[in-house]
Amino acid sequence: MLNGRTELHIFDRGSVIGDRYCEEVLLPHVRLFRGAIGPDFIFMDDNAQSHRTLAVEELLESEDITRMDLPAYSPDLNPIEHV
């Protein structure tokens, strides 16, 4: 953990689908990070299609992880807006 943040996870092969996102990001990183932060933890991701699958929704609900609500095209998450 780095000042309330996790390290950037880079997918080095293939496309990201909901199940892969759950297995490679949510379970090993986000779940443990939430345990370290406690009940005030709020998870923030973007509105990528793989982040909004039923598998992801069910996992977040089963782990009692609160997701920050963001608009579909948030300029805060668009790096080109900062250029």
Side-chain angles (χ1 to χ4, degrees), residues 45-53 72:
D45 61 5
D46 58 15
N47 286 318
Q49 194 172 17
S50 60
H51 299 172
R52 298 295 181 223
T53 64

Side-chain angles (χ1 to χ4, degrees), residues 1-76:
M1 288 188 289
L2 305 170
N3 297 324
R5 298 181 178 150
T6 59
E7 293 182 18
L8 176 65
H9 181 81
I10 298 173
F11 292 93
D12 58 351
R13 60 179 164 61
S15 27
V16 180
I17 59 173
D19 292 333
R20 186 170 177 205
Y21 180 65
C22 287
E23 292 170 10
E24 294 185 32
V25 176
L26 295 180
L27 289 174
H29 301 291
V30 176
R31 180 173 62 175
L32 296 175
F33 193 65
R34 185 220 178 261
I37 299 296
D40 294 334
F41 178 75
I42 298 175
F43 180 61
M44 180 178 147
D45 61 5
D46 58 15
N47 286 318
Q49 194 172 17
S50 60
H51 299 172
R52 298 295 181 223
T53 64
L54 183 59
V56 171
E57 297 292 334
E58 289 176 349
L59 178 66
L60 292 175
E61 186 176 319
S62 71
E63 296 288 332
D64 196 31
I65 295 175
T66 303
R67 175 187 275 162
M68 179 184 287
D69 293 325
L70 295 171
Y73 295 102
S74 174
D76 294 335

